[in-house]
Amino acid sequence: MEDQGIIALFFDRSEQAIEETDKKYGGYCYSIAYNILSNREDSEESVSDTYLAAWNTIPPRRPNFLNAFLAKMTRHISIDRWRKLSAKKRGGGEIILALDSHNVETELAKKELTRVLNMFLSSLTETERNVFLCRYWYLDSIQIISEVSGFSQSKVTSMLHRLRGKLRKKLSE
């Protein structure tokens, strides 16, 4: 089923929307979650939470790219789950709380970093941008990026090394 059909099912509040989403994007969302959590049960739970979040978000929102929309939600949900699990192991989250200061300087620094990263990404070719995002946004392995892109693993590794150097230079400016 096409993405627009799946989105229409969400707008119709049909439970088939979840089934079709799972058929088309279940493996994709699971791989994102597993790359973050490295645990089957937690990854499956994150994917389920993604479907619930999509159900609660898609009306009124109408995503232009369903795969990117689901990937972003899965990533955020999985990272939140990882933080909660990690916090329990390190004193009930007290360290995370101490490090999570939301002051004006921190927010300004985040905005500036976002601006620089967006400029960096827009300066890359489409191929470079896809490889970079697969590795550092979706947390795909070198092997998976190699299979998807058709490049050898050594070429992907070399490309990522060069891209990190370009990013380092851009950040130091």
Side-chain angles (χ1 to χ4, degrees):
M1 177 175 274
E2 295 297 317
D3 288 358
Q4 294 308 317
I6 295 171
I7 293 169
L9 290 172
F10 275 106
F11 270 86
D12 292 342
R13 306 313 287 163
S14 170
E15 290 181 18
Q16 187 183 357
I18 302 297
E19 294 170 23
E20 294 297 329
T21 301
D22 188 50
K23 282 182 199 172
K24 188 165 184 181
Y25 295 113
Y28 176 61
C29 291
Y30 178 82
S31 70
I32 293 168
Y34 191 82
N35 285 341
I36 294 167
L37 297 166
S38 300
N39 179 288
R40 184 182 59 81
E41 293 85 11
D42 291 335
S43 299
E44 290 171 354
E45 190 68 29
S46 288
V47 172
S48 294
D49 290 348
T50 298
Y51 297 155
L52 177 62
W55 181 264
N56 290 332
T57 307
I58 289 184
R61 289 188 62 192
R62 183 178 294 274
N64 292 327
F65 302 100
L66 186 59
N67 61 341
F69 179 78
L70 294 170
K72 184 176 180 180
M73 275 201 276
T74 302
R75 185 173 187 275
H76 286 292
I77 289 168
S78 298
I79 289 171
D80 287 347
R81 183 175 301 279
W82 178 84
R83 284 182 178 148
K84 286 177 189 172
L85 293 171
S86 297
K88 289 178 186 174
K89 294 177 186 173
R90 292 191 312 247
E94 293 173 13
I95 293 173
I96 296 292
L97 183 61
L99 296 175
D100 195 20
S101 61
H102 289 287
N103 59 33
V104 174
E105 290 178 13
T106 304
E107 291 303 315
L108 288 174
K110 284 181 186 178
K111 286 182 181 180
E112 179 62 14
L113 180 60
T114 300
R115 186 188 69 75
V116 171
L117 282 173
N118 284 333
M119 281 179 30
F120 169 72
L121 290 171
S122 67
S123 74
L124 301 177
T125 67
E126 184 177 355
T127 302
E128 289 174 328
R129 186 172 40 251
N130 288 340
V131 168
F132 189 86
L133 290 174
C134 282
R135 182 67 176 144
Y136 299 113
W137 178 259
Y138 297 113
L139 304 173
D140 290 339
S141 69
I142 301 293
Q143 180 181 358
I144 290 174
I145 296 169
S146 173
E147 291 169 4
V148 170
S149 68
F151 298 135
S152 68
Q153 290 185 24
S154 62
K155 179 169 173 80
V156 171
T157 302
S158 173
M159 186 184 298
L160 288 169
H161 178 72
R162 284 192 316 273
L163 292 172
R164 284 192 307 271
K166 285 182 181 180
L167 178 59
R168 189 176 302 112
K169 183 178 176 185
K170 186 66 107 176
L171 290 171
S172 66
E173 291 173 4

